[in-house]
Amino acid sequence: MDQPNPVKAAADKAAEKARAAVRQVAGDDEIPGRPAPEPPSPQEPTRPRGPLPPKPDQRGPKTVSPTGEPTGVDPAAVAQRGERLTTAQGLRLPDTDHSLKAGPRGPVLLQDHHLREKITHFDHERIPERVVHARGAAAHGFFQGYGTAAHLTKAAFLGKGVETPVFVRFSTVLGSRGSSDTVRDTRGFATKFYTGEGVFDLVGNNIPVFFIQDAIKFPDVIHAGKPHPDREIPQAQSAHDTFWDFVSLHTEATHHTLWNMSDRGIPRSYRMMEGFGVHTFRFVNAEGATTLVKFHWKPKLGVHSLVWEEAQLINGADPDFHRRDLADAIEAGAHPQWELGVQVFPDTPEQTFEGIDLLDPTKIVPEELAPVQPIGLLTLDANPTNYFAETEQVAFHPGHLVPGIDVTDDPLLAGRLFSYIDTQITRLGGPNFAQIPVNRPHAPVNDMTRDGLHQDAVHRGVAPYRPNSLDGGCPFLAGPEAGGYVEVPVPIAESSKVRAAPASFNDHFSQPRRFWLSLTPVEQEHVIAAYSFELGKCYENAVKERALRTLASIDPRLCAEVAKGLGMPVPEPSEPPASVEPSPALSQVGGEWPVTGRVVGIVADAGSDLAGVRALRRAVFDADMVPLVIAPTGGELTDGDGDPITVQRTFATARSVEFDAVLLAGNPAPGEDAHGARDAKAGDGGRAATDPRVLLLVAEAYRHAKAVGGWADGEEALRAAGVTPGGPGVVTGGDPADVLSEITRLLARHRVWDRFPATV
């Protein structure tokens, strides 16, 4: 995946240029997360001025008409305008704090048009949230084709050097919009390509398989995974009886369930998450030849995850962890990138490869059998300017296709081709959702549809039908030579109408076993812990017994260890575990990746080596990482010898889950607020030599297998936290630059897994 490519090199250069531009605007030492483009004044502003521009990291939808025509309009012109508050009709208002009353004590008058307009709009601000993928985060960017797919597909956006605007939305599946980011769940990875041939939507997940093989069962699996309908709990998680009741009875879900129980279910960041198209698609080249493909998104930063305790802490400390991480990285100029690749298979009548049914969405093809061939590079370089207008209203659909890409007869995909359109009509107020700015195609639209709720286009002509002569025959049909989309004429075998699945769909255990055997020992330990936790949350023993029987068909050790955690007997497998070869590509552990965007916490107080802190902050910035200084109080640290150091976190507000590594510039004494009445994390802090919250910070980072270190008196704080200097991933020394160099090397491997070796 890393061979030299001139298009990729150009994209990397463009990303670095954009990163430099952000720093020039924000300042070299600017920490991402500033809420507005300029600092506010301590007093309420009273001098009229127009709306502030977006921050440098933000961009809105491209300004095109409802029918796809570039308008050339400044994006600011479609946002709010003017210096003064008005009604929705432009009437200026002198007061928006008081209702119109009959005297100061009321009653309120019905004639208050502003009150009614303001409240009515508020009452209808919320639209129905998505049934699944309700909680999302998104970004704008661009995709550059490598040209390496030209022999496979005539899709123009994959041509060499072709740059296509994109909008990408990441999401959890089960939770509501108000749920937390770091729950154990599948993540959505949906990309809207605004190509010159129309919109192409690649609507996938961070897991390459799905729970079911046929879309008719989609309501069943989602009803099982959602909160129990009587109590509406638990939220955004599968650790409950209805989910495990379903998947233990419906064993085709076993493969996806195992992926969810692995570290893939709790990604470290959207930036460090693989994406998959799940289904098999069909490519068509300029000569009409076809091949079958599976789409893969490979993150340039590698695939990394949280540990379970860390994910639980984050849910309370920062439930917006993933969306904040994505937005902050883009604002800091550390633009996330993924390489798009395809696995390629012959388009045979059987639609199988090496004995694997390509129409079964619960199966993968190991990369060792069909390598992923890179075909383009995705870069996310701008945050949305308005969450509702863009992230919430974006509408994806697997049936948004372009010439050169066609669907297959995957029965899950067939149902999605109906469901997505049907859902958007309900959520977005009618059939004209494609005219919402974030959904508008960047290609000409002449579809002959008319009217309907929220019709924004002002159509001309009198003949929205074909054939016609009154509008001069327009619109005319487009054959393949004019870029028209023509479905591949796939032969259909003569057979009877049945409600059935092919026999090849009946193998539910060989691929889960391959996944299990492909994991490293530490990853296997995490899977055991996840099953033990999730099934331990179930009430009914019958559900647990069934789930254990499923695990017995995957691997005897997996089943035995989970059974031990549940205090239950180990069942016999319903069938012997399959004989399969591992696929090393399925493991997340063992490689090295760029450290771009990693967050380094630097603990210091007024008595620390502040000269070392200054130099360290600069070195962290220069490595494209983010330094956050943690001190007893907010404000600045000064020593009279250099520039003041801005504090980003205090001992009270910092928690280890924010940081990829923690460094100590000294041994900070307890702060004035280090007592249990003020901060429970401090306990009886006044009796300790080191602030107890710093000890907690270090101890948590250590047991979450993160790199930790220090210099000067920092070694004393490490020992006080129970961390032995010189141990695995524990770096100390006299020169902070040397300490950071070793910490950076450790960060490239994500975690220090050998700190806690597995039991096998």
Side-chain angles (χ1 to χ4, degrees):
M1 296 294 291
D2 293 324
Q3 67 269 35
N5 186 292
V7 176
K8 175 185 174 300
D12 289 342
K13 187 175 180 180
E16 178 54 38
K17 183 178 179 181
R19 201 153 44 231
V22 169
R23 286 188 174 174
Q24 184 175 4
V25 173
D28 284 346
D29 292 348
E30 182 73 11
I31 298 296
R34 183 182 294 280
E38 63 182 48
S41 63
Q43 296 79 32
E44 179 182 355
T46 57
R47 184 177 179 181
R49 60 179 293 181
L52 297 178
K55 296 197 302 176
D57 61 291
Q58 294 178 319
R59 182 168 71 235
K62 187 175 180 181
T63 50
V64 295
S65 74
T67 53
E69 184 71 17
T71 64
V73 173
D74 184 343
V78 297
Q80 66 270 34
R81 294 191 298 150
E83 300 177 345
R84 307 288 181 172
L85 179 67
T86 73
T87 66
Q89 308 305 315
L91 177 68
R92 288 189 173 190
L93 293 165
D95 188 335
T96 191
D97 296 327
H98 306 95
S99 301
L100 188 65
K101 309 178 187 73
R105 299 181 61 81
V108 175
L109 300 178
L110 181 61
Q111 72 183 66
D112 189 345
H113 60 94
H114 176 44
L115 167 69
R116 286 185 286 118
E117 179 187 80
K118 187 174 181 180
I119 293 297
T120 298
H121 191 282
F122 171 77
D123 290 344
H124 297 275
E125 278 182 357
R126 298 293 174 263
I127 62 177
E129 70 176 26
R130 290 166 170 84
V131 176
V132 289
H133 299 281
R135 182 173 179 80
H140 294 276
F142 59 93
F143 177 85
Q144 287 186 307
Y146 289 166
T148 52
H151 65 295
L152 299 173
T153 175
K154 60 185 176 183
F157 79 98
L158 294 174
K160 185 175 182 179
V162 175
E163 186 170 301
T164 302
V166 300
F167 189 74
V168 179
R169 186 178 190 271
F170 305 101
S171 56
T172 54
V173 172
L174 290 177
S176 68
R177 274 191 61 187
S179 58
S180 299
D181 278 351
T182 60
V183 294
R184 183 179 293 281
D185 197 1
T186 304
R187 265 72 181 176
F189 191 138
T191 307
K192 186 175 290 290
F193 298 82
Y194 302 97
T195 85
E197 298 178 296
V199 167
F200 171 58
D201 285 346
L202 181 53
V203 195
N205 290 330
N206 74 322
I207 290 176
V209 292
F210 205 64
F211 288 108
I212 53 176
Q213 296 166 325
D214 192 307
I216 200 170
K217 292 175 286 196
F218 194 78
D220 300 306
V221 66
I222 298 304
H223 288 168
K226 285 286 191 177
H228 291 203
D230 53 351
R231 298 187 178 189
E232 186 63 11
I233 55 174
Q235 174 62 242
Q237 55 184 298
S238 55
H240 55 89
D241 287 78
T242 58
F243 174 80
W244 288 98
D245 182 45
F246 177 81
V247 299
S248 62
L249 289 168
H250 203 71
T251 54
E252 71 188 52
T254 301
H255 196 191
H256 191 161
T257 302
L258 183 58
W259 276 75
N260 253 13
M261 295 303 106
S262 77
D263 292 339
R264 303 284 186 137
I266 43 175
R268 159 63 180 83
S269 165
Y270 289 136
R271 301 178 291 127
M272 303 169 192
M273 190 176 81
E274 260 183 309
F276 304 91
V278 179
H279 308 287
T280 300
F281 291 82
R282 180 175 277 111
F283 270 180
V284 187
N285 68 13
E287 289 73 43
T290 63
T291 51
L292 301 180
V293 299
K294 284 183 175 290
F295 289 105
H296 293 247
W297 290 112
K298 297 286 189 181
K300 301 301 288 183
L301 296 179
V303 185
H304 307 298
S305 297
L306 301 166
V307 297
W308 180 230
E309 185 196 30
E310 191 180 18
Q312 292 175 298
L313 288 172
I314 292 171
N315 284 338
D318 185 6
D320 305 303
F321 184 77
H322 282 154
R323 58 172 68 180
R324 190 188 312 281
D325 174 271
L326 177 67
D328 282 356
I330 292 172
E331 184 180 356
H335 297 155
Q337 291 186 314
W338 291 259
E339 207 162 35
L340 180 63
V342 289
Q343 289 180 293
V344 181
F345 319 104
D347 190 0
T348 62
E350 297 78 20
Q351 297 177 91
T352 62
F353 182 78
E354 298 288 340
I356 299 168
D357 194 326
L358 297 176
L359 299 187
D360 183 349
T362 69
K363 304 290 194 302
I364 65 165
V365 177
E367 293 183 30
E368 292 76 17
L369 297 179
V372 176
Q373 304 177 26
I375 61 175
L377 184 70
L378 167 69
T379 302
L380 299 183
D381 64 349
N383 289 309
T385 54
N386 185 275
Y387 183 93
F388 180 84
E390 301 169 80
T391 308
E392 185 62 23
Q393 290 196 122
V394 66
F396 296 97
H397 176 41
H400 291 163
L401 302 165
V402 292
I405 303 177
D406 202 351
V407 299
T408 58
D409 292 333
D410 177 335
L412 177 61
L413 178 57
R416 294 179 72 199
L417 293 173
F418 167 79
S419 177
Y420 278 68
I421 288 285
D422 192 48
T423 296
Q424 310 305 351
I425 291 173
T426 296
R427 287 194 66 247
L428 300 176
N432 292 308
F433 59 85
Q435 295 184 16
I436 295 171
V438 74
N439 296 322
R440 291 179 181 178
H442 296 183
V445 174
N446 195 344
D447 55 10
M448 294 196 302
T449 58
R450 292 294 185 269
D451 307 338
L453 287 172
H454 308 301
Q455 175 60 259
D456 292 332
V458 182
H459 294 100
R460 292 177 293 179
V462 297
Y465 52 83
R466 287 200 80 261
N468 77 72
S469 62
L470 296 180
D471 280 349
C474 183
F476 297 89
L477 299 177
E481 72 287 348
Y485 186 90
V486 179
E487 286 79 4
V488 176
V490 179
I492 299 176
E494 293 185 10
S495 60
S496 302
K497 291 189 294 185
V498 295
R499 291 189 182 274
S504 58
F505 279 36
N506 292 332
D507 174 13
H508 299 166
F509 299 119
S510 65
Q511 290 225 334
R513 177 159 175 78
R514 186 198 306 274
F515 181 68
W516 166 259
L517 294 177
S518 303
L519 301 180
T520 60
V522 69
E523 291 173 297
Q524 290 184 346
E525 290 291 337
H526 294 166
V527 170
I528 292 168
Y531 272 103
S532 300
F533 177 89
E534 296 256 329
L535 291 171
K537 286 283 190 175
C538 292
Y539 182 88
E540 297 292 349
N541 275 342
V543 171
K544 301 174 190 178
E545 291 171 8
R546 245 186 275 126
L548 288 173
R549 284 201 297 272
T550 299
L551 296 183
S553 297
I554 300 174
D555 184 81
R557 176 175 172 265
L558 170 61
C559 180
E561 292 298 318
V562 175
K564 185 189 304 181
L566 298 176
M568 299 181 68
V570 180
E572 291 296 320
S574 57
E575 55 188 78
S579 177
V580 294
E581 291 296 319
S583 170
L586 298 178
S587 172
Q588 297 181 195
V589 175
E592 292 191 0
W593 298 272
V595 297
T596 305
R598 292 288 186 167
V599 180
V600 178
I602 306 170
V603 179
D605 65 2
S608 298
D609 172 22
L610 298 189
V613 172
R614 292 186 186 94
L616 189 73
R617 287 185 80 247
R618 170 50 46 205
V620 172
F621 270 122
D622 290 345
D624 283 334
M625 298 188 290
V626 179
L628 295 181
V629 174
I630 311 161
T633 67
E636 297 176 334
L637 294 174
T638 59
D639 57 5
D641 293 332
D643 294 334
I645 299 171
T646 301
V647 175
Q648 283 84 36
R649 299 290 187 274
T650 67
F651 295 168
T653 61
R655 202 70 192 257
S656 66
V657 293
E658 288 189 86
F659 313 108
D660 295 293
V662 175
L663 296 178
L664 297 158
N667 185 21
E672 293 183 1
D673 61 343
H675 55 86
R678 184 75 58 81
D679 186 350
K681 299 193 301 298
D684 188 10
R687 299 181 182 180
T690 309
D691 192 296
R693 295 163 298 182
V694 172
L695 301 181
L696 176 64
L697 180 77
V698 172
E700 282 183 350
Y702 180 82
R703 70 171 181 263
H704 296 158
K706 296 179 180 179
V708 296
W711 73 98
D713 294 334
E715 188 170 320
E716 296 179 25
L718 291 171
R719 292 187 187 279
V723 175
T724 303
V730 184
V731 184
T732 57
D735 186 344
D738 292 340
V739 173
L740 179 63
S741 176
E742 178 61 15
I743 289 290
T744 303
R745 187 189 68 80
L746 293 168
L747 282 174
R749 301 180 69 85
H750 182 57
R751 305 271 179 169
V752 187
W753 294 123
D754 55 348
R755 181 179 294 161
F756 305 113
T759 58
V760 293

